[in-house]
């Protein structure tokens, strides 16, 4: 039996023999397609070729593309685990022809691969073709039909025609499209999952699991315009896609994709961690949990590996939903501590050969998943308790729908994605008011959107109309003469008349030496002038092929077509210092922390540099000092800095580092530190893909210091540092501060630190003495409350107000009271220093069994002091803003407790 790795390689090798070029899978995080959250098909990276905006490097291509489908019409998330074949992550095997071969070759090769290489039984295979469409005036695809019959062993009755719904592919409402032809397999009558339905008939494109599609061959031969009219494309393309998981299941003779070697290593590891057994059955929670977790860890690992991170919006929120969904299913396997991250090495073991980036980034993936799991585990069980409380209220009222505001609270406060709440409700045969949730969610989005600033342009709208700008001089000079071609304003490109005065616009020149914002480096600032006419620009951006200089002028006489001189602000030299320093910083971090410390982003400007990198925890003071020393040593060593433009494959062979979130072309610019010759880059100690501006020698950087180190996301740290003039200015300011502190503390600058330490120690001692006094007062107050407590049976009702004290001190007194009164209901109130209210309730276990719960008590009395709160049955806390109502709240608590306990007193 072939392994999945062999099956994947068979496909690639077969098409390499047919003169196809192997193209590695693109990132599952689309880098240049804002319409996609994740790559969801093999053709995504070739979209520009099909649209005609890019020329292919090779007319034939083959690969296995990583895909994620969790949104829009391709959303398989809710089905995962319930059946044998739905996944959020999958591999799409594909071969492409860009204006080269067409239907005949695609069909012949597909049949040969299936039957000769993989050994599918021809008697089980079926083919489908396009039946035509009267609305589009399209005839049936008789060409494909004939090719199947003539070039395969399929009899005519197993080549079926289907409508455009099943056999016509379109990229969108407009654009390339064409008929498709699919290969299906008949798995036999026993694989039908609707045998109990007397009205059911099995068939291709039916609604049972006996017949499944294995491969779709798309023949892109038309273009649909804005009116809906179709026209023949001058160049015809082939785009095929075969799901690896389904093919492996058939070839390994498995009835479920999850029983193949693409999932079983993970499932076995889950069984080992949890102590549970996987039985490959549908319909039970345990097996469903195994399938969900094994699927979701694949999606999480590949997405994080390719640069995505869990967050609260966009694709980051989708990842967070998936991780929290997997964690919730972990509870069904009695996993109450983080465990998903432990599965990553297993995935790397069997998928890392096909996708080497998984090996490279495994440490980062583990750290991100572990940190995200740990964070969610703090609120997961608390959120479930809130959910259970909400459900109990519904059951008391005999209602079947969880209100939208309750679902939104779980989302907003406890991080429960809506689909997780829906899943838990579904398990209780309940529904969720999605419309109510959506209204509250939209209100939150509207508030966030209102705070955003509007741009004076939209890049997509302008990129098609702007002319190309030559910017090769940006590396060579700080001044250049150029012709003004036009300006951008109000989302339009203007090529006539004069540039408006006192208005922010973007000038477009035929050439420039300004650097447009890219790769983390800010756009240049400067002046564009002609005689006494000045245009000051404070930002430079690339829009499509043009470099646009944004700023304003107070002159009304700058005309389109003028020859002008562009001069870059000298502050660019500071930006160059900071940019080269980021490369030294990346090198130093890997020396100190390890090779897992990869760049995740940066921001380089004249005043400082900001560098984001993968690392699970904050740097120690000693590590920061080590990094600083390494960078400063390389600055002092006066290393030459050079660059070379080369093919990307050659750059990778050199070991040049690339940013995971960037998409690169066939050629790249490699920035090298430590060699003078562009032809000796292997001698450099730092080599990175980089299109930014840099110093010529590390000594030009001058100095370097880390100003701040912090967390910006799960598993991502950020360093802010300074160099050159800005650092010198900052150090002078800090020196002045030290002098001022020395004067205030009446000591020398060298002794300031020791003096402050002594003050802190003295302050701690005074606070400790103060707390002792507070604790003594509280204990005396607690003893008095206990002595005066009413009783019902053996249960004490301890209610009263304490003095102002820290929360932990009040909780300590509650613990003391519970020891003194083993059967008790306790409610304490305290005023805070800012004139607000704290309420605490505690109930012993014996009274909880009688139905009295601390959380219920504070829920009912907190509104009386203008607040709210909740908690566990044993202990709960609430806050309020009306201290004058404390007595009312305590009296309400007294009545509530007495009434509850009286019901159980004989």
């Amino acid at each position: 039996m072939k392994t999945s790795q062999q099956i994947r390689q068979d496909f690639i090798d077969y098409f390499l023999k047919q003169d196809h070029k192997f193209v590695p899978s693109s990132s599952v995080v689309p880098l240049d397609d804002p319409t996609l959250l994740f790559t969801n098909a093999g053709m995504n990276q070739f979209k520009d070729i099909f649209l005609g905006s890019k020329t292919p490097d090779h007319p034939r291509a083959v690969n296995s593309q990583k895909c994620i489908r969790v949104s829009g019409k391709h959303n398989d998330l809710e089905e995962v685990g319930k059946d044998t074949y739905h996944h959020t992550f999958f591999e799409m095997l594909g071969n492409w022809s860009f204006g080269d071969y067409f239907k005949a070759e695609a069909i012949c090769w597909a049949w040969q691969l299936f039957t000769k290489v993989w050994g599918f039984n021809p008697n089980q295979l079926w083919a489908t073709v396009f039946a035509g469409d009267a609305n589009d005036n399209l005839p049936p695809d008789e060409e494909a039909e004939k090719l199947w019959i003539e070039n395969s062993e399929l009899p005519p009755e197993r080549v079926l025609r289907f409508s455009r719904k099943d056999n016509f592919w379109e990229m969108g409402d407009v654009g390339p499209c064409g008929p498709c032809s699919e290969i299906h397999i008949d798995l036999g009558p026993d694989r039908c999952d609707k045998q109990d339905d007397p009205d059911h008939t099995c068939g291709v494109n039916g609604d049972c699991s006996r017949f499944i599609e294995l491969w779709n061959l798309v023949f892109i031969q038309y273009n649909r315009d804005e009116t809906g009219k179709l026209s023949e494309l001058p160049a015809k393309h082939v785009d095929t896609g075969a799901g690896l998981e389904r093919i492996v299941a058939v070839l390994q003779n498995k009835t479920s994709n999850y029983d193949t070697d693409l999932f079983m290593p993970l499932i076995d590891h889950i069984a080992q961690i949890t102590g549970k057994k996987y039985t490959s059955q549908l319909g039970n929670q345990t097996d469903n949990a195994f399938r969900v977790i094994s699927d979701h860890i694949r999606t999480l690992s590949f997405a994080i590996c390719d640069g995505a991170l869990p967050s609260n919006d966009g694709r980051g929120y989708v990842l967070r939903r998936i991780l929290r969904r997997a964690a919730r299913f972990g509870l069904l396997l009695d996993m109450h501590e983080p465990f998903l991250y432990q599965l990553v090495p297993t995935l790397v073991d069997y998928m890392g050969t096909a996708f080497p980036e998984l090996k490279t980034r495994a440490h980062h993936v583990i750290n991100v998943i572990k940190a995200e799991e740990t964070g969610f585990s703090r609120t997961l069980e608390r959120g479930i308790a809130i959910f259970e409380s909400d459900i109990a209220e519904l059951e008391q009222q005999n209602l079947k729908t969880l209100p939208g505001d309750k679902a939104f609270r779980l989302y907003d406060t406890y991080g429960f994605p809506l689909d997780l709440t829906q899943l838990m409700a579904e398990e209780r045969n309940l529904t969720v008011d999605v419309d109510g949730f959506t209204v509250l969610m939209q209100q939150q989005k509207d508030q966030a959107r209102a705070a955003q600033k509007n741009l004076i342009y939209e890049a997509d709208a302008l990129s098609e109309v702007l002319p190309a700008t030559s910017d090769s001089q940006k590396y060579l000079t700080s001044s250049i003469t150029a012709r003004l071609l036009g300006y951008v304003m109000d989302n339009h490109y203007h090529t006539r008349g004069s540039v408006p005065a006192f208005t922010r616009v973007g000038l477009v020149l035929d050439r420039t030496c300004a650097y447009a914002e890219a790769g983390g480096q800010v756009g240049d600032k400067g002046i564009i002038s002609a005689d006494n006419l000045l245009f000051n620009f404070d930002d430079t951006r690339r829009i499509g092929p043009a470099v646009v200089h944004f700023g304003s002028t107070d002159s009304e006489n700058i005309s389109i077509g003028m020859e002008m001189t562009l001069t870059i602000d000298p502050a660019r030299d500071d930006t160059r210092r900071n940019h080269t320093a980021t490369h030294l910083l990346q090198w130093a971090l890997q020396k100190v922390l390890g090779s897992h410390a990869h760049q995740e982003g940066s921001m380089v400007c004249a005043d400082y540099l900001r560098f984001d990198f993968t690392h699970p925890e904050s740097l120690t003071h000693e590590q920061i000092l080590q990094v600083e020393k390494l960078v400063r040593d390389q600055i002092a060593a006066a290393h030459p800095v050079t660059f070379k433009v080369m093919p990307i494959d050659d750059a990778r062979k050199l070991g040049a580092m690339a940013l995971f979130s960037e998409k690169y072309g066939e050629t790249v610019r490699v920035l090298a530190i430590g060699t003078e010759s562009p032809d000796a880059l292997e001698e450099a100690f730092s080599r990175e893909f980089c299109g930014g501006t840099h110093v010529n020698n590390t000594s030009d950087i001058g100095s370097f210091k880390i100003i701040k180190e912090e967390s910006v996301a799960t598993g991502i740290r950020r360093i802010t540092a300074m160099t050159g003039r800005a650092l010198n200015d900052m150090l002078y300011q800090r020196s002045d501060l030290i002098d001022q502190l020395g004067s205030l503390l009446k000591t020398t600058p060298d002794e300031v630190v020791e003096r402050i330490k002594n003050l802190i120690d003295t302050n701690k001692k005074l606070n400790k003495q103060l707390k002792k006094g507070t604790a003594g007062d509280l204990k005396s107050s607690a003893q008095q409350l206990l002595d005066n407590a009413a009783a019902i049976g053996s249960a004490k009702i301890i209610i009263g107000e304490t003095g102002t004290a820290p929360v932990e001190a009040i909780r300590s007194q509650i613990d003391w009271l519970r020891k003194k009164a083993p059967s008790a209901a306790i409610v304490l109130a305290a005023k805070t220093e800012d004139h607000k209210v704290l309420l605490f309730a505690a109930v012993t276990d014996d009274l909880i069994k009688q139905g009295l719960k601390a959380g219920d008590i504070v829920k009912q009395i907190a509104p009386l002091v203008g607040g709210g709160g909740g908690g566990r049955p044993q202990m709960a806390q609430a806050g309020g803003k009306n201290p004058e109502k404390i007595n009312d709240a305590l009296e309400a608590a007294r009545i509530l407790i007495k009434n509850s306990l009286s019901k159980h007193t004989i």
Side-chain angles (χ1 to χ4, degrees):
M1 184 175 68
K2 289 191 175 187
T3 66
S4 57
Q5 189 150 323
Q6 290 171 326
I7 293 167
R8 182 193 299 110
Q9 197 59 48
D10 281 346
F11 184 90
I12 294 168
D13 289 345
Y14 179 80
F15 283 101
L16 288 177
K17 291 176 183 177
Q18 316 306 329
D19 198 28
H20 287 59
K21 179 183 178 182
F22 173 71
V23 180
S25 170
S26 64
S27 165
V28 291
V29 180
L31 301 176
D32 55 359
D33 190 345
T35 66
L36 280 177
L37 278 179
F38 295 100
T39 299
N40 59 18
M43 59 76 59
N44 289 158
Q45 67 171 310
F46 304 118
K47 184 176 176 180
D48 290 343
I49 296 174
F50 294 138
L51 290 172
S53 58
K54 181 180 177 181
T55 302
D57 300 311
H58 197 280
R60 302 178 181 186
V62 60
N63 84 348
S64 182
Q65 174 63 48
K66 302 172 293 187
C67 298
I68 292 176
R69 289 185 177 176
V70 286
S71 60
K73 66 178 181 179
H74 298 301
N75 185 355
D76 294 336
L77 182 61
E78 301 304 323
E79 301 305 316
V80 171
K82 297 178 182 178
D83 57 30
T84 62
Y85 55 88
H86 274 103
H87 311 293
T88 55
F89 172 88
F90 63 96
E91 289 182 61
M92 184 71 82
L93 303 172
N95 60 289
W96 290 269
S97 166
F98 308 118
D100 187 35
Y101 64 82
F102 202 44
K103 295 179 184 179
E105 294 87 345
I107 289 172
C108 288
W109 289 336
W111 183 258
Q112 289 172 16
L113 176 62
F114 261 39
T115 58
K116 307 301 182 188
V117 177
W118 280 336
F120 277 92
N121 182 352
N123 295 325
Q124 289 182 273
L125 300 178
W126 296 63
T128 65
V129 297
F130 180 50
D133 188 275
N135 292 330
D136 280 329
N137 197 27
L138 289 175
D141 191 353
E142 295 178 351
E143 179 186 5
E145 186 178 54
K146 184 179 179 183
L147 285 167
W148 277 116
I149 295 170
E150 292 179 352
N151 294 279
S152 75
E153 300 167 48
L154 293 177
E157 61 269 20
R158 293 216 311 272
V159 180
L160 309 179
R161 296 183 181 186
F162 284 90
S163 69
R164 65 179 294 164
K165 173 180 174 293
D166 293 305
N167 280 76
F168 195 86
W169 177 88
E170 301 195 63
M171 185 180 291
D173 293 334
V174 297
C177 55
C180 57
S181 183
E182 298 173 341
I183 302 176
H184 294 248
I185 188 168
D186 179 1
L187 298 172
D190 58 324
R191 291 291 296 275
C192 174
D193 55 359
K194 296 196 173 183
Q195 297 182 40
D196 295 335
D197 183 353
D199 298 324
H200 173 74
T201 302
C202 297
V204 172
N205 284 331
D207 59 351
C208 76
S209 53
R210 171 178 172 178
F211 289 85
I212 62 169
E213 174 203 334
L214 292 178
W215 201 351
N216 188 11
L217 316 177
V218 178
F219 308 123
I220 303 174
Q221 62 188 96
Y222 302 110
N223 183 69
R224 190 182 297 277
D225 63 23
E226 290 78 2
T227 68
K229 183 180 178 182
L230 293 176
S231 58
E232 290 271 351
L233 286 171
K236 295 177 174 59
H237 312 294
V238 172
D239 164 21
T240 84
L244 176 66
E245 288 76 10
R246 288 186 176 187
I247 288 173
V248 170
V250 175
L251 292 178
Q252 293 185 355
N253 196 29
K254 303 295 184 183
T255 58
S256 167
N257 294 357
Y258 290 95
D259 294 344
T260 70
D261 64 352
L262 286 169
F263 291 91
M264 283 309 298
L266 289 169
I267 288 174
D268 289 342
H269 195 177
I270 295 167
Q272 177 188 336
I273 293 171
T274 63
K276 304 294 182 181
K277 186 177 180 181
Y278 179 66
T279 62
S280 194
Q281 300 298 309
L282 296 179
N284 70 71
Q285 284 191 335
T286 299
D287 282 0
N288 283 2
F290 271 93
R291 286 187 286 269
V292 168
I293 294 167
S294 63
D295 170 87
H296 287 8
I297 196 64
R298 286 169 26 117
T299 299
L300 290 165
S301 297
F302 278 103
I304 293 168
C305 174
D306 283 350
L309 287 171
S311 66
N312 285 329
D313 53 45
R315 64 172 64 97
Y317 181 58
V318 173
L319 283 190
R320 181 159 282 168
R321 285 170 53 205
I322 291 171
L323 189 144
R324 293 181 174 186
R325 195 170 187 270
R328 164 59 174 67
F329 274 94
L331 291 181
L332 300 180
L333 302 179
D334 294 330
M335 295 305 296
H336 297 271
E337 298 294 329
F339 75 101
L340 297 172
Y341 72 94
Q342 298 177 45
L343 301 172
V344 175
T346 299
L347 181 67
V348 173
D349 283 346
Y350 74 91
M351 298 277 289
T353 301
F355 303 102
E357 64 273 19
L358 201 56
K359 287 183 178 179
T360 305
R361 303 267 282 174
H363 190 79
H364 169 60
V365 173
I366 290 169
N367 289 335
V368 171
I369 293 176
K370 184 177 182 180
E372 185 72 13
E373 274 192 278
T374 302
F376 185 48
S377 67
R378 298 190 190 107
T379 60
L380 175 59
E381 299 210 23
R382 173 77 183 117
I384 290 175
I386 295 295
F387 174 81
E388 292 296 338
S389 176
D390 291 339
I391 295 303
E393 287 184 19
L394 290 184
E395 290 173 347
Q396 287 175 2
Q397 300 171 48
N398 199 27
L399 299 175
K400 293 292 185 181
T401 301
L402 183 72
D405 62 326
K406 301 285 190 184
F408 186 77
R409 179 180 59 162
L410 286 169
Y411 159 79
D412 200 38
T413 305
Y414 300 101
F416 276 45
L418 176 62
D419 52 7
L420 179 54
T421 303
Q422 288 177 297
L423 176 67
M424 294 192 302
E426 181 184 329
E427 291 171 354
R428 306 286 285 271
N429 295 317
L430 301 171
T431 60
V432 177
D433 175 16
V434 176
D435 290 341
F437 175 91
T438 304
V439 168
L440 293 169
M441 191 71 181
Q442 190 59 48
Q443 288 175 2
Q444 189 180 74
K445 289 180 179 178
D446 290 343
Q447 291 169 1
R449 194 177 295 117
Q452 294 179 345
K453 296 180 179 178
N454 292 323
L455 294 173
I456 65 169
Y457 70 92
E458 291 180 14
D460 290 342
L462 289 169
S463 59
E464 299 295 325
V465 298
L466 293 180
T469 306
S470 171
D471 65 346
S472 59
Q473 295 297 305
K474 63 190 174 188
Y475 301 117
L476 306 174
T477 183
S478 59
S479 183
I480 196 171
T481 301
R483 187 165 63 89
L484 178 60
L485 301 179
Y487 63 91
V488 171
M489 187 179 75
D490 296 334
N491 210 35
H492 292 286
Y493 177 53
H494 304 266
T495 57
R496 294 182 180 181
S498 299
V499 175
F502 306 105
T503 304
R504 186 167 179 79
V505 298
L507 297 194
V508 179
L509 309 172
D510 63 339
R511 62 186 195 137
T512 185
C513 59
Y515 182 86
E517 180 178 326
Q521 181 174 327
V522 299
D524 278 336
K525 301 176 182 179
I527 295 171
I528 302 173
S529 62
D531 298 327
N532 61 342
L533 306 176
L534 296 178
F535 179 90
N536 292 285
F537 65 97
D538 57 19
D539 193 14
T540 306
R541 292 181 178 267
R542 179 172 292 280
I543 304 177
V547 174
V548 186
H549 312 76
F550 287 98
S552 62
T553 180
D554 57 6
S555 170
E556 297 179 347
N557 297 317
I558 298 179
S559 302
I560 307 301
M562 291 181 69
E563 290 291 323
M564 305 190 77
T565 299
L566 185 150
T567 305
I568 302 299
D569 188 321
R572 180 211 259 185
D573 290 339
D574 297 313
T575 303
R576 291 166 62 221
R577 291 185 184 97
N578 283 330
H579 203 155
T580 306
T582 63
H583 288 235
L584 293 178
L585 177 58
Q586 165 79 94
W587 169 82
L589 285 169
Q590 293 204 339
K591 289 288 184 184
V592 174
L593 304 178
S595 59
H596 69 273
H598 286 284
Q599 180 180 352
E600 282 297 318
S602 65
M603 204 286 278
V604 179
C605 63
D607 297 327
Y608 61 90
L609 65 92
R610 203 172 65 203
F611 189 81
D612 298 345
F613 59 99
T614 54
H615 191 60
E617 58 195 5
S618 60
L619 272 65
T620 65
H621 180 65
E622 291 72 23
Q623 287 173 326
I624 289 175
L625 292 179
Q626 281 182 274
V627 170
E628 286 182 331
K629 184 178 186 305
L630 284 171
V631 173
R632 284 200 291 264
D633 286 349
Q634 300 307 330
I635 291 172
H639 292 294
V641 179
T642 189
F643 73 90
K644 184 176 183 179
V645 177
M646 61 174 63
I648 191 169
D649 291 339
D650 292 347
R652 288 197 171 111
K653 288 175 186 175
L654 270 174
M657 285 190 289
L659 188 63
F660 279 93
S661 59
E662 287 286 334
K663 184 174 182 179
Y664 301 96
E666 290 294 311
T667 59
V668 293
R669 185 174 185 263
V670 176
L671 196 286
I673 305 176
T675 181
E676 286 187 281
S677 171
D679 296 321
L681 298 191
E682 66 280 357
E683 298 174 1
F685 66 86
S686 169
R687 296 179 295 271
E688 293 188 44
F689 293 15
C690 185
T693 59
H694 290 267
V695 298
N696 296 319
N697 190 287
T698 57
S699 62
D700 296 337
I701 298 171
S703 53
F704 175 87
K705 181 162 184 58
I706 293 173
I707 307 303
K708 184 193 292 185
E709 192 273 341
E710 60 189 324
S711 171
V712 291
T714 305
I716 305 294
R717 309 297 301 179
R718 170 174 290 171
I719 280 177
T720 303
M722 300 177 81
T723 68
R725 294 187 303 175
L727 176 56
N728 289 339
D729 291 344
M730 188 273 291
L731 291 176
Y732 279 122
Q733 290 172 7
R734 288 197 175 179
S735 176
D736 186 49
L737 264 175
I738 295 295
D739 290 340
Q740 291 181 50
L741 283 171
S743 177
L744 286 170
L745 298 171
K746 299 189 180 344
T747 187
T748 64
D750 291 340
E751 295 174 343
V752 163
V753 173
E754 194 61 36
R755 182 81 177 96
I756 291 174
K757 281 182 179 177
N758 291 336
L759 286 173
I760 291 172
D761 288 341
T762 301
N763 190 50
K764 283 181 179 176
K765 290 175 183 176
L766 291 172
N767 277 333
K768 197 171 183 181
Q769 292 172 9
L770 184 62
K771 285 183 179 178
K772 278 184 180 178
T774 301
D777 292 342
L778 279 177
K779 190 170 183 180
S780 174
S781 173
Q783 181 67 60
Q784 191 173 3
L785 290 173
L786 179 62
D787 292 342
N788 297 329
I792 294 182
S794 61
K796 291 278 190 179
I797 303 175
I798 306 171
I799 293 178
E801 183 177 353
T802 71
T804 301
V807 169
E808 59 270 20
I810 298 174
R811 284 181 175 271
S812 295
Q813 293 313 305
I814 291 175
D815 291 339
W816 181 82
L817 285 168
R818 284 196 289 196
K819 288 178 182 176
K820 293 291 183 180
S823 177
I826 305 164
V827 179
L828 301 182
K831 295 175 185 173
T832 65
E833 291 179 355
D834 57 352
H835 306 295
K836 292 184 179 177
V837 181
L838 288 175
L839 296 173
F840 300 85
V843 178
T844 53
D845 289 339
D846 62 317
L847 302 186
I848 292 172
K849 291 177 181 177
Q850 297 182 27
L852 185 63
K853 298 177 182 178
D856 294 341
I857 294 171
V858 297
K859 274 185 186 179
Q860 295 196 43
I861 68 172
L864 297 175
V865 292
R872 294 176 294 113
Q874 293 85 357
M875 173 74 82
Q877 181 178 329
K881 54 189 177 183
N882 299 325
E884 65 276 8
K885 298 288 187 179
I886 283 178
N887 289 336
D888 294 346
L890 294 178
E891 184 58 29
R894 195 185 315 275
I895 294 170
L896 188 155
I897 294 169
K898 282 185 175 180
N899 289 342
S900 178
L901 296 182
S902 296
K903 295 176 184 177
H904 297 273
T905 302
I906 300 174

